[in-house]
Amino acid sequence: MVVPRFWRERRYRYSLIGTRCPVCGTVYFPPRSVCPKCGRKSMGKMEEVQLSGKGKVYSYTIVHQNVLGFKYQKPYVMAIIETPEGPKITGQIVDVDPEEVHIGMPVHAVFRRIAEDGNSGIIQYGYKFVPDENP
Amino acid sequence: MRDVAIIGAGETKYGEHWDKSLRDLAVEAGLKALEDAGICAEDIQAIFGGNMSAGSFVGQDHVGALIADFAGLAEHKIPAMRIESACASGAAALHTGYMAVASGMYDIVLVGGVEKMTDLPGDMVTDILAGAADREWEVFLGATFPSLAAMMARRYMYEYGMTREQMALFPVIAHKHGAMNPDAHFQREITVDDVLNAPMVADPLTLMNCSPVSDGAAAVVLAPAEIAKKYTDSPIKILASTYANEYISLHSRKSLTESLSTIEAGRKAYKMAKKEPKDIDLAEIHDAFSIIAIEGLEGLGFAKKGEAAKLAEEGQLYYDGNLPYNPSGGLKAKGHPVGATGVGQVVEIVKQLRNEAGKRQVENARVGMAHNVGGTMTSSIVHILEVM
Ligand SMILES: [Zn+2]
């Protein structure tokens, strides 16, 4: 991945900023410029919204494959997190024994290095999730 | 719209073809289909080729032109284009070819599918296949294709109580059929224990819940149904060709345990063909991962939600059962050269409907269905075929 492609999304990725449709109120992450429910009525009107970073595990898996950029992390836990604001988010769960992870487990987002050096040697950052002691 | 028929079909063996290139495979399958239809390359008016990612797998784009050229058609200047819908590229090419003939624009059309995947190491293949998901919001964060399927499976097991043992029945059935298909990548039977004890890829999916990385190509020749008998005594009519999409990412969907695209493509296909699930004599169901076949069978109305594993447990899915499922061996055992798969499924149905499927022949097969999926069931394409 080259620099601009990564840089473009960094604000949303670093800060968990999504969008809300002012017509129906649905919150989306990642951000969308059109609401799939309201279509044209939402065009040009989507508002940015800050997510709390809190959530619960909706589903998860433990990855044992060799994955480019993630080789030194394996095995690692990938999950889909259900947030109180509405959207679900895909991300890793870290600082946890993989055997402890379960559906419904409370987690919160943290800012971390995502992948080891990619093809272009850039270190990429974004969100991961950790167990939430005070849900 | 005119009725459309398949007048010829052919495919390569699926597997690791270290001695054959992308163009070798595509031309081999194409020429077999032409030979089967009893026509010459010059009779073709257009080519639609399914291919997911030759640009990444072998550094070759412009695949339509390349294949037409090496099939000997450069002097004929016919249109030839590549159609891409990830792992559903093959069926997407057939859907396009179907429209081209049904519309009256072309009469004789070659639809192909090809993928050459084994030139690269496994981690690179994994990364390329992940391009069928959302690169920025799933893959960037560490998701692979098997891990996304694993999260579907985990949620399904949580909601419906399915066990890993039940899920293991699907690859066992696929391999039983693959063992009877001389063109299959894997021609050996396996047991439930083989599935459970295979190396873990993405928990709860072991290597044996996942389709292999294969090379291969498949092709069919289409013609207007009204003139199909001029070419062959056993044309196969395409009763339905339907395509539906939904959210590309799992996280954008309300549910991980039902495929809205499969439900929609299936509903439209039954309506278009004027058939119901009970009319289908055999089905080639997309089983890139066992969970996708399970949600496929349910979405297409062959089982109630949460109950597909029952069909497997009751033995109904074997080639001699009530609902012969993946008699070819499916993606799991026949193999999954991604761009070829959707066309290869239809080649199998043509063989079955013509009573040419050898040991795995389904008795009295008159109506067959092919279900090809792109991504995590993001795209679903359904074809229903019938003996004419
Ligand atoms: Zn809206």
Side-chain angles (χ1 to χ4, degrees):
Chain A
M1 208 186 277
V2 292
V3 176
R5 182 163 146 202
F6 175 59
W7 176 84
R8 274 199 300 272
E9 310 290 354
R10 78 193 191 293
R11 208 163 62 83
Y12 306 102
R13 247 187 216 138
Y14 288 7
S15 317
L16 281 178
I17 293 171
T19 48
R20 179 195 286 113
C21 169
V23 182
C24 69
T26 308
V27 176
Y28 296 99
F29 187 87
R32 291 176 182 269
S33 52
V34 179
C35 171
K37 291 177 191 155
C38 303
R40 193 168 159 210
K41 282 182 279 183
S42 68
M43 276 168 66
K45 299 196 183 116
M46 300 295 279
E47 301 159 348
E48 288 196 354
V49 51
Q50 172 72 57
L51 302 186
S52 66
K54 294 234 176 211
K56 286 182 178 162
V57 175
Y58 185 77
S59 193
Y60 69 97
T61 180
I62 304 163
V63 180
H64 295 268
Q65 295 175 280
N66 280 326
V67 183
L68 289 179
F70 293 83
K71 265 174 213 169
Y72 304 106
Q73 302 180 34
K74 86 168 185 180
Y76 60 89
V77 180
M78 278 312 296
I80 295 174
I81 308 301
E82 203 173 13
T83 69
E85 294 86 356
K88 294 197 275 288
I89 303 176
T90 300
Q92 285 188 43
I93 303 178
V94 293
D95 300 349
V96 68
D97 175 357
E99 298 303 319
E100 301 284 307
V101 179
H102 56 273
I103 289 175
M105 184 172 91
V107 294
H108 67 262
V110 290
F111 182 73
R112 291 286 169 90
R113 172 197 279 225
I114 299 290
E116 314 295 328
D117 296 353
N119 290 338
S120 49
I122 303 160
I123 296 169
Q124 295 156 346
Y125 295 91
Y127 48 83
K128 292 186 178 181
F129 294 87
V130 297
D132 195 351
E133 310 298 337
N134 309 296
Chain B
M1 292 265 285
R2 303 187 284 185
D3 284 338
V4 180
I6 295 173
I7 58 168
E11 62 188 338
T12 67
K13 187 181 180 313
Y14 286 5
E16 295 182 12
H17 287 292
W18 290 323
D19 54 336
K20 287 180 186 163
S21 67
L22 177 85
R23 78 185 72 182
D24 293 340
L25 291 164
V27 169
E28 179 183 330
L31 294 181
K32 279 182 177 167
L34 295 180
E35 169 90 28
D36 186 48
I39 62 171
C40 311
E42 307 87 89
D43 298 325
I44 298 169
Q45 295 163 357
I47 298 177
F48 299 95
N51 176 260
M52 174 175 167
S53 216
S56 300
F57 285 126
V58 294
Q60 175 71 60
D61 285 308
H62 214 172
V63 172
L66 177 83
I67 303 308
D69 183 349
F70 281 80
L73 289 168
E75 302 273 342
H76 295 269
K77 306 178 189 70
I78 61 163
M81 67 202 80
R82 163 225 189 130
I83 308 288
E84 191 272 319
S85 288
C87 316
S89 297
L94 182 56
H95 185 64
T96 312
Y98 172 85
M99 289 190 286
V101 177
S103 71
M105 182 113 187
Y106 303 107
D107 286 331
I108 307 294
V109 162
L110 181 71
V111 170
V114 63
E115 210 76 56
K116 174 73 194 168
M117 304 174 75
T118 64
D119 278 0
L120 291 178
D123 56 351
M124 292 182 75
V125 172
T126 298
D127 187 62
I128 293 164
L129 292 174
D134 186 332
R135 176 68 66 178
E136 306 275 347
W137 301 100
E138 291 179 307
V139 180
F140 172 84
L141 297 147
T144 60
F145 233 82
S147 71
L148 293 167
M151 289 194 277
M152 293 167 72
R154 171 94 57 200
R155 187 72 200 184
Y156 186 100
M157 291 161 84
Y158 173 81
E159 289 183 22
Y160 294 112
M162 182 179 68
T163 63
R164 286 185 59 211
E165 286 75 7
Q166 286 176 309
M167 190 162 61
L169 294 169
F170 291 85
V172 168
I173 295 164
H175 275 256
K176 165 104 180 169
H177 295 158
M180 296 185 282
N181 182 354
D183 290 326
H185 190 158
F186 295 122
Q187 299 173 32
R188 64 185 171 85
E189 295 191 29
I190 58 168
T191 65
V192 167
D193 281 342
D194 291 336
V195 179
L196 298 179
N197 299 329
M200 195 58 86
V201 172
D203 189 24
L205 306 182
T206 70
L207 190 62
M208 292 308 250
N209 290 119
C210 307
S211 56
V213 169
S214 316
D215 303 326
V220 293
V221 182
L222 306 184
E226 66 207 16
I227 59 166
K229 288 243 160 106
K230 259 176 51 185
Y231 298 95
T232 170
D233 295 335
S234 50
I236 304 298
K237 192 165 160 186
I238 301 179
L239 296 182
S241 175
T242 61
Y243 188 152
N245 272 308
E246 73 148 317
Y247 293 101
I248 190 166
S249 301
L250 290 181
H251 56 232
S252 299
R253 300 179 199 168
K254 206 171 193 177
S255 168
L256 299 192
T257 60
E258 65 176 0
S259 167
L260 298 186
S261 67
T262 290
I263 291 168
E264 177 70 1
R267 186 186 65 76
K268 283 185 181 159
Y270 288 125
K271 192 173 171 213
M272 189 171 175
K274 301 188 179 68
K275 299 284 182 197
E276 296 173 45
K278 67 171 172 48
D279 301 321
I280 306 297
D281 297 322
L282 73 140
E284 286 282 311
I285 303 288
H286 194 96
D287 62 336
F289 302 97
S290 308
I291 184 63
I292 290 183
I294 288 164
E295 294 191 21
L297 285 164
E298 293 173 8
L300 294 166
F302 296 117
K304 290 198 187 113
K305 275 182 73 173
E307 296 188 359
K310 266 195 203 167
L311 295 178
E313 284 177 316
E314 291 165 3
Q316 295 197 42
L317 300 180
Y318 286 106
Y319 76 109
D320 53 358
N322 272 339
L323 177 66
Y325 152 92
N326 292 356
S328 68
L331 284 60
K332 175 66 196 77
K334 183 188 179 188
H336 186 24
V338 284
T341 290
V343 182
Q345 290 176 317
V346 168
V347 171
E348 172 70 11
I349 290 172
V350 169
K351 286 180 186 169
Q352 291 281 353
L353 298 186
R354 287 181 181 166
N355 214 9
E356 292 170 358
K359 282 192 212 161
R360 62 186 191 283
Q361 179 65 46
V362 172
E363 265 183 52
N364 303 318
R366 295 195 56 82
V367 180
M369 173 187 275
H371 165 253
N372 188 198
V373 161
T376 45
M377 310 191 87
T378 301
S379 303
S380 293
I381 304 177
V382 173
H383 285 94
I384 300 179
L385 309 169
E386 187 173 40
V387 173
M388 274 175 79

